[in-house]
Amino acid sequence: MTTILADVAATDTSAAEAFCDRWKKAWNDHDGDAVAALCADGLVYDEPALGQTAHGPDSIRGFVNHMAKMFPDYSFTRLGLYGEVTRRAALVAWRFSGTLAGTDHRVEFHGDDRLELGEDGLITEYRCLYDYKSVLDRIAAAPAPASA
């Protein structure tokens, strides 16, 4: 099942849609193992907003788990899917929505995932792009928890 894009160009929209549906479902299920299973052992995970590049599926698994703790009800809505015509790569535009843990404060923002796939159809390079300052501003806007 993970080889769905292995022998087709990203211009095969049904293959790209199917792969990105699994990617979105794994994230929306808050399933770090399922997200990691879509990634190659040599994954390069780059999140410029956080100022770090991590390697391997464990790095993305850990981030999914961290997100689930920060935003227990988070979800992603896919806004667009753009395929690369010369290599196995796609850009997935999304909207994030989640309630900051311990508050009623909703945080929403837009971002893009750039996914490059290897011959086996697993993600070899994942770059997550969004406006980190805007996200921090939205988190900071959360009202202070009420005193007990």
Side-chain angles (χ1 to χ4, degrees), residues 2-14:
T2 60
T3 60
I4 197 156
L5 289 183
D7 297 317
V8 296
T11 55
D12 180 341
T13 56
S14 63

Side-chain angles (χ1 to χ4, degrees), residues 5 23 25 29 33 52 60 62 65 79 89 98-100 104 110 115 117-118 128 135 143-144:
L5 289 183
W23 179 247
K25 180 179 181 340
D29 287 348
D33 290 333
Q52 65 185 26
I60 194 69
N65 295 336
L79 302 176
T99 306
L100 187 61
D104 292 333
H110 166 268
L115 308 172
L117 295 105
C128 183
V135 173

Side-chain angles (χ1 to χ4, degrees), residues 52-105:
Q52 65 185 26
T53 298
H55 300 274
D58 286 342
S59 61
I60 194 69
R61 180 183 294 111
F63 187 72
V64 172
N65 295 336
H66 174 73
M67 287 294 295
K69 287 178 185 166
M70 285 189 63
F71 300 95
D73 64 348
Y74 81 77
S75 66
F76 289 93
T77 302
R78 189 171 69 215
L79 302 176
L81 172 60
Y82 309 91
E84 168 66 53
V85 297
T86 60
R87 59 195 169 119
R88 292 179 189 93
L91 180 75
V92 182
W94 45 260
R95 172 161 289 291
F96 172 92
S97 179
T99 306
L100 187 61
T103 74
D104 292 333
H105 186 68

